[in-house]
Amino acid sequence: MADTTGLRADCARCVGLCCVAPAFAASADFARDKPAGRPCHHLRVDSRCGIHDELRDRGYPGCVVFDCFGAGQRVSQVTFAGRDWRTDPATAAGMFAAFTVTRPLHELLWYLTEALALTPAGPLHDELRAARDATDALAGGTPQELSTVDVDAHRDRVNPLLAAASDAARAGTGGADRRGALLLGADLRGADLRGANLRGARLLGADLRSADLRRADVTGADLRGADLRGADLSDTLFLHQSQLEAARGDRHTSLPARLRRPAHWTTVVPPTPTRRPRRPRR
């Protein structure tokens, strides 16, 4: 199993960076606009969300599915040594800028850690470990060093290694290549997607009930509103908790042991409606 302990958000050790640094645009994901660098009006003085338990009902599902991959506590506790932008305003701009760089680097660290767990010892494993070490070194830089990091260029160097790890893990499955496929609202009920390459696929609102997604690669796949009831994701590759939080499912959805069943998922699959038999005419 991949050790991603340090790549999990720990809000108790952060100073609410995800509620301040990013910009929000009023949409189905956010109830109102919020410019970058301005605190969300629901952020409390203790750096916690004032409507955390009601985010979906109050029009903020985008907050529920957001994950900093542990970047928040790293910037708060390591990069800025426990300082708080509220009590030390001079750090605010630098702290927010550091978060916008560290967060995507931590996301890459999560994928690289997962890839290492999938890849046996050999040249590819060594390259993945070197890439992980390099990414961690970038994320551990000073605020000044972080300001010079070209995240897109680094991601372009890392992605071929992640793709190679995925190809090796899916070898022999015969899975279809659906990279970046536009599958909005697609009827994929009961589909055999074993070993499929679904990297970057747009599956918003797709019906994946009882689909087989074992060994499918869902890196960056958009599963917002997708129906995963009864689907088998027991060993889906690069599946992240935030993707599950954005989708729908139930107790019949098979998940990897490392992931938890979202609280908003239904617990019972609704019965299939049946027609009443017509009475014979007399």
PDB file of all heavy atoms in Angstrom, residues 115-140:
ATOM      1  N   ALA A 115       1.878   5.493  -7.849  1.00  0.00           N
ATOM      2  CA  ALA A 115       2.561   4.805  -8.947  1.00  0.00           C
ATOM      3  C   ALA A 115       3.687   3.925  -8.429  1.00  0.00           C
ATOM      4  O   ALA A 115       3.911   2.813  -8.934  1.00  0.00           O
ATOM      5  CB  ALA A 115       3.100   5.830  -9.946  1.00  0.00           C
ATOM      6  N   LEU A 116       4.412   4.403  -7.429  1.00  0.00           N
ATOM      7  CA  LEU A 116       5.498   3.603  -6.849  1.00  0.00           C
ATOM      8  C   LEU A 116       4.958   2.312  -6.244  1.00  0.00           C
ATOM      9  O   LEU A 116       5.587   1.252  -6.354  1.00  0.00           O
ATOM     10  CB  LEU A 116       6.227   4.407  -5.775  1.00  0.00           C
ATOM     11  CG  LEU A 116       7.286   5.386  -6.278  1.00  0.00           C
ATOM     12  CD1 LEU A 116       7.684   6.360  -5.176  1.00  0.00           C
ATOM     13  CD2 LEU A 116       8.508   4.620  -6.782  1.00  0.00           C
ATOM     14  N   ALA A 117       3.792   2.396  -5.615  1.00  0.00           N
ATOM     15  CA  ALA A 117       3.198   1.208  -5.008  1.00  0.00           C
ATOM     16  C   ALA A 117       2.770   0.189  -6.059  1.00  0.00           C
ATOM     17  O   ALA A 117       2.704  -1.015  -5.780  1.00  0.00           O
ATOM     18  CB  ALA A 117       2.008   1.606  -4.142  1.00  0.00           C
ATOM     19  N   LEU A 118       2.477   0.652  -7.266  1.00  0.00           N
ATOM     20  CA  LEU A 118       2.036  -0.234  -8.348  1.00  0.00           C
ATOM     21  C   LEU A 118       3.189  -0.856  -9.116  1.00  0.00           C
ATOM     22  O   LEU A 118       3.015  -1.886  -9.781  1.00  0.00           O
ATOM     23  CB  LEU A 118       1.179   0.554  -9.355  1.00  0.00           C
ATOM     24  CG  LEU A 118      -0.189   1.064  -8.914  1.00  0.00           C
ATOM     25  CD1 LEU A 118      -0.750   2.006  -9.978  1.00  0.00           C
ATOM     26  CD2 LEU A 118      -1.144  -0.105  -8.698  1.00  0.00           C
ATOM     27  N   THR A 119       4.363  -0.226  -9.032  1.00  0.00           N
ATOM     28  CA  THR A 119       5.465  -0.581  -9.919  1.00  0.00           C
ATOM     29  C   THR A 119       6.521  -1.425  -9.218  1.00  0.00           C
ATOM     30  O   THR A 119       7.065  -1.015  -8.183  1.00  0.00           O
ATOM     31  CB  THR A 119       6.131   0.707 -10.464  1.00  0.00           C
ATOM     32  OG1 THR A 119       5.113   1.554 -11.022  1.00  0.00           O
ATOM     33  CG2 THR A 119       7.165   0.384 -11.522  1.00  0.00           C
ATOM     34  N   PRO A 120       6.821  -2.605  -9.745  1.00  0.00           N
ATOM     35  CA  PRO A 120       7.857  -3.450  -9.130  1.00  0.00           C
ATOM     36  C   PRO A 120       9.242  -2.837  -9.294  1.00  0.00           C
ATOM     37  O   PRO A 120       9.449  -1.914 -10.096  1.00  0.00           O
ATOM     38  CB  PRO A 120       7.735  -4.769  -9.902  1.00  0.00           C
ATOM     39  CG  PRO A 120       7.160  -4.378 -11.225  1.00  0.00           C
ATOM     40  CD  PRO A 120       6.231  -3.234 -10.951  1.00  0.00           C
ATOM     41  N   ALA A 121      10.181  -3.361  -8.527  1.00  0.00           N
ATOM     42  CA  ALA A 121      11.562  -2.870  -8.599  1.00  0.00           C
ATOM     43  C   ALA A 121      12.085  -2.961 -10.023  1.00  0.00           C
ATOM     44  O   ALA A 121      11.817  -3.925 -10.750  1.00  0.00           O
ATOM     45  CB  ALA A 121      12.441  -3.687  -7.652  1.00  0.00           C
ATOM     46  N   GLY A 122      12.813  -1.932 -10.427  1.00  0.00           N
ATOM     47  CA  GLY A 122      13.347  -1.886 -11.778  1.00  0.00           C
ATOM     48  C   GLY A 122      13.586  -0.453 -12.194  1.00  0.00           C
ATOM     49  O   GLY A 122      13.408   0.480 -11.400  1.00  0.00           O
ATOM     50  N   PRO A 123      13.964  -0.238 -13.435  1.00  0.00           N
ATOM     51  CA  PRO A 123      14.279   1.115 -13.920  1.00  0.00           C
ATOM     52  C   PRO A 123      13.133   2.109 -13.754  1.00  0.00           C
ATOM     53  O   PRO A 123      13.357   3.250 -13.349  1.00  0.00           O
ATOM     54  CB  PRO A 123      14.611   0.888 -15.400  1.00  0.00           C
ATOM     55  CG  PRO A 123      15.094  -0.527 -15.458  1.00  0.00           C
ATOM     56  CD  PRO A 123      14.265  -1.267 -14.459  1.00  0.00           C
ATOM     57  N   LEU A 124      11.900   1.690 -14.083  1.00  0.00           N
ATOM     58  CA  LEU A 124      10.771   2.615 -13.970  1.00  0.00           C
ATOM     59  C   LEU A 124      10.532   3.000 -12.514  1.00  0.00           C
ATOM     60  O   LEU A 124      10.263   4.163 -12.210  1.00  0.00           O
ATOM     61  CB  LEU A 124       9.506   2.003 -14.570  1.00  0.00           C
ATOM     62  CG  LEU A 124       8.232   2.873 -14.493  1.00  0.00           C
ATOM     63  CD1 LEU A 124       8.460   4.232 -15.149  1.00  0.00           C
ATOM     64  CD2 LEU A 124       7.046   2.155 -15.131  1.00  0.00           C
ATOM     65  N   HIS A 125      10.641   2.036 -11.626  1.00  0.00           N
ATOM     66  CA  HIS A 125      10.468   2.320 -10.196  1.00  0.00           C
ATOM     67  C   HIS A 125      11.514   3.332  -9.736  1.00  0.00           C
ATOM     68  O   HIS A 125      11.196   4.268  -8.980  1.00  0.00           O
ATOM     69  CB  HIS A 125      10.588   1.022  -9.390  1.00  0.00           C
ATOM     70  CG  HIS A 125      10.186   1.165  -7.953  1.00  0.00           C
ATOM     71  ND1 HIS A 125      11.040   1.658  -6.989  1.00  0.00           N
ATOM     72  CD2 HIS A 125       9.010   0.885  -7.318  1.00  0.00           C
ATOM     73  CE1 HIS A 125      10.419   1.675  -5.819  1.00  0.00           C
ATOM     74  NE2 HIS A 125       9.181   1.211  -5.991  1.00  0.00           N
ATOM     75  N   ASP A 126      12.732   3.169 -10.194  1.00  0.00           N
ATOM     76  CA  ASP A 126      13.806   4.100  -9.817  1.00  0.00           C
ATOM     77  C   ASP A 126      13.522   5.507 -10.342  1.00  0.00           C
ATOM     78  O   ASP A 126      13.760   6.503  -9.642  1.00  0.00           O
ATOM     79  CB  ASP A 126      15.150   3.607 -10.359  1.00  0.00           C
ATOM     80  CG  ASP A 126      15.607   2.302  -9.706  1.00  0.00           C
ATOM     81  OD1 ASP A 126      15.081   1.977  -8.621  1.00  0.00           O
ATOM     82  OD2 ASP A 126      16.459   1.614 -10.293  1.00  0.00           O
ATOM     83  N   GLU A 127      13.015   5.594 -11.566  1.00  0.00           N
ATOM     84  CA  GLU A 127      12.698   6.903 -12.141  1.00  0.00           C
ATOM     85  C   GLU A 127      11.544   7.566 -11.384  1.00  0.00           C
ATOM     86  O   GLU A 127      11.554   8.783 -11.152  1.00  0.00           O
ATOM     87  CB  GLU A 127      12.341   6.762 -13.616  1.00  0.00           C
ATOM     88  CG  GLU A 127      13.504   6.414 -14.528  1.00  0.00           C
ATOM     89  CD  GLU A 127      13.081   6.390 -15.983  1.00  0.00           C
ATOM     90  OE1 GLU A 127      13.066   7.475 -16.604  1.00  0.00           O
ATOM     91  OE2 GLU A 127      12.757   5.306 -16.497  1.00  0.00           O
ATOM     92  N   LEU A 128      10.569   6.782 -11.011  1.00  0.00           N
ATOM     93  CA  LEU A 128       9.443   7.316 -10.253  1.00  0.00           C
ATOM     94  C   LEU A 128       9.896   7.833  -8.891  1.00  0.00           C
ATOM     95  O   LEU A 128       9.472   8.903  -8.444  1.00  0.00           O
ATOM     96  CB  LEU A 128       8.367   6.241 -10.064  1.00  0.00           C
ATOM     97  CG  LEU A 128       7.534   5.883 -11.298  1.00  0.00           C
ATOM     98  CD1 LEU A 128       6.765   4.590 -11.070  1.00  0.00           C
ATOM     99  CD2 LEU A 128       6.554   7.013 -11.640  1.00  0.00           C
ATOM    100  N   ARG A 129      10.784   7.087  -8.238  1.00  0.00           N
ATOM    101  CA  ARG A 129      11.267   7.526  -6.933  1.00  0.00           C
ATOM    102  C   ARG A 129      12.087   8.807  -7.064  1.00  0.00           C
ATOM    103  O   ARG A 129      11.966   9.715  -6.233  1.00  0.00           O
ATOM    104  CB  ARG A 129      12.103   6.417  -6.270  1.00  0.00           C
ATOM    105  CG  ARG A 129      12.576   6.782  -4.863  1.00  0.00           C
ATOM    106  CD  ARG A 129      13.087   5.583  -4.107  1.00  0.00           C
ATOM    107  NE  ARG A 129      12.042   4.596  -3.880  1.00  0.00           N
ATOM    108  CZ  ARG A 129      11.097   4.707  -2.944  1.00  0.00           C
ATOM    109  NH1 ARG A 129      11.077   5.778  -2.163  1.00  0.00           N
ATOM    110  NH2 ARG A 129      10.209   3.758  -2.777  1.00  0.00           N
ATOM    111  N   ALA A 130      12.896   8.880  -8.102  1.00  0.00           N
ATOM    112  CA  ALA A 130      13.690  10.101  -8.314  1.00  0.00           C
ATOM    113  C   ALA A 130      12.768  11.288  -8.571  1.00  0.00           C
ATOM    114  O   ALA A 130      13.006  12.400  -8.071  1.00  0.00           O
ATOM    115  CB  ALA A 130      14.653   9.906  -9.482  1.00  0.00           C
ATOM    116  N   ALA A 131      11.698  11.062  -9.336  1.00  0.00           N
ATOM    117  CA  ALA A 131      10.742  12.131  -9.617  1.00  0.00           C
ATOM    118  C   ALA A 131      10.012  12.547  -8.351  1.00  0.00           C
ATOM    119  O   ALA A 131       9.748  13.740  -8.134  1.00  0.00           O
ATOM    120  CB  ALA A 131       9.743  11.673 -10.678  1.00  0.00           C
ATOM    121  N   ARG A 132       9.706  11.573  -7.511  1.00  0.00           N
ATOM    122  CA  ARG A 132       9.029  11.906  -6.253  1.00  0.00           C
ATOM    123  C   ARG A 132       9.958  12.728  -5.358  1.00  0.00           C
ATOM    124  O   ARG A 132       9.527  13.714  -4.752  1.00  0.00           O
ATOM    125  CB  ARG A 132       8.586  10.643  -5.523  1.00  0.00           C
ATOM    126  CG  ARG A 132       7.678  10.933  -4.341  1.00  0.00           C
ATOM    127  CD  ARG A 132       7.406   9.714  -3.481  1.00  0.00           C
ATOM    128  NE  ARG A 132       6.359   9.973  -2.510  1.00  0.00           N
ATOM    129  CZ  ARG A 132       6.489  10.738  -1.420  1.00  0.00           C
ATOM    130  NH1 ARG A 132       7.640  11.332  -1.174  1.00  0.00           N
ATOM    131  NH2 ARG A 132       5.470  10.915  -0.593  1.00  0.00           N
ATOM    132  N   ASP A 133      11.206  12.317  -5.269  1.00  0.00           N
ATOM    133  CA  ASP A 133      12.164  13.056  -4.444  1.00  0.00           C
ATOM    134  C   ASP A 133      12.345  14.486  -4.959  1.00  0.00           C
ATOM    135  O   ASP A 133      12.416  15.441  -4.185  1.00  0.00           O
ATOM    136  CB  ASP A 133      13.510  12.331  -4.414  1.00  0.00           C
ATOM    137  CG  ASP A 133      13.449  11.007  -3.652  1.00  0.00           C
ATOM    138  OD1 ASP A 133      12.473  10.805  -2.909  1.00  0.00           O
ATOM    139  OD2 ASP A 133      14.378  10.193  -3.823  1.00  0.00           O
ATOM    140  N   ALA A 134      12.401  14.634  -6.278  1.00  0.00           N
ATOM    141  CA  ALA A 134      12.574  15.967  -6.869  1.00  0.00           C
ATOM    142  C   ALA A 134      11.352  16.837  -6.607  1.00  0.00           C
ATOM    143  O   ALA A 134      11.474  18.033  -6.320  1.00  0.00           O
ATOM    144  CB  ALA A 134      12.824  15.840  -8.371  1.00  0.00           C
ATOM    145  N   THR A 135      10.167  16.232  -6.704  1.00  0.00           N
ATOM    146  CA  THR A 135       8.926  16.980  -6.458  1.00  0.00           C
ATOM    147  C   THR A 135       8.834  17.404  -5.000  1.00  0.00           C
ATOM    148  O   THR A 135       8.441  18.539  -4.690  1.00  0.00           O
ATOM    149  CB  THR A 135       7.704  16.125  -6.842  1.00  0.00           C
ATOM    150  OG1 THR A 135       7.837  15.682  -8.192  1.00  0.00           O
ATOM    151  CG2 THR A 135       6.414  16.912  -6.688  1.00  0.00           C
ATOM    152  N   ASP A 136       9.220  16.513  -4.112  1.00  0.00           N
ATOM    153  CA  ASP A 136       9.198  16.831  -2.681  1.00  0.00           C
ATOM    154  C   ASP A 136      10.190  17.945  -2.364  1.00  0.00           C
ATOM    155  O   ASP A 136       9.906  18.830  -1.538  1.00  0.00           O
ATOM    156  CB  ASP A 136       9.525  15.581  -1.874  1.00  0.00           C
ATOM    157  CG  ASP A 136       9.277  15.770  -0.385  1.00  0.00           C
ATOM    158  OD1 ASP A 136       8.221  16.326  -0.029  1.00  0.00           O
ATOM    159  OD2 ASP A 136      10.133  15.371   0.420  1.00  0.00           O
ATOM    160  N   ALA A 137      11.337  17.925  -3.020  1.00  0.00           N
ATOM    161  CA  ALA A 137      12.336  18.975  -2.798  1.00  0.00           C
ATOM    162  C   ALA A 137      11.804  20.331  -3.258  1.00  0.00           C
ATOM    163  O   ALA A 137      12.010  21.352  -2.594  1.00  0.00           O
ATOM    164  CB  ALA A 137      13.626  18.634  -3.535  1.00  0.00           C
ATOM    165  N   LEU A 138      11.094  20.351  -4.389  1.00  0.00           N
ATOM    166  CA  LEU A 138      10.509  21.598  -4.865  1.00  0.00           C
ATOM    167  C   LEU A 138       9.467  22.120  -3.871  1.00  0.00           C
ATOM    168  O   LEU A 138       9.435  23.317  -3.552  1.00  0.00           O
ATOM    169  CB  LEU A 138       9.853  21.392  -6.229  1.00  0.00           C
ATOM    170  CG  LEU A 138      10.776  21.186  -7.432  1.00  0.00           C
ATOM    171  CD1 LEU A 138       9.939  20.867  -8.674  1.00  0.00           C
ATOM    172  CD2 LEU A 138      11.638  22.421  -7.677  1.00  0.00           C
ATOM    173  N   ALA A 139       8.619  21.218  -3.382  1.00  0.00           N
ATOM    174  CA  ALA A 139       7.567  21.614  -2.447  1.00  0.00           C
ATOM    175  C   ALA A 139       8.138  22.084  -1.111  1.00  0.00           C
ATOM    176  O   ALA A 139       7.482  22.829  -0.383  1.00  0.00           O
ATOM    177  CB  ALA A 139       6.599  20.459  -2.227  1.00  0.00           C
ATOM    178  N   GLY A 140       9.347  21.641  -0.801  1.00  0.00           N
ATOM    179  CA  GLY A 140       9.968  22.011   0.464  1.00  0.00           C
ATOM    180  C   GLY A 140      10.801  23.271   0.393  1.00  0.00           C
ATOM    181  O   GLY A 140      11.505  23.604   1.357  1.00  0.00           O
TER     182      GLY A 140
END
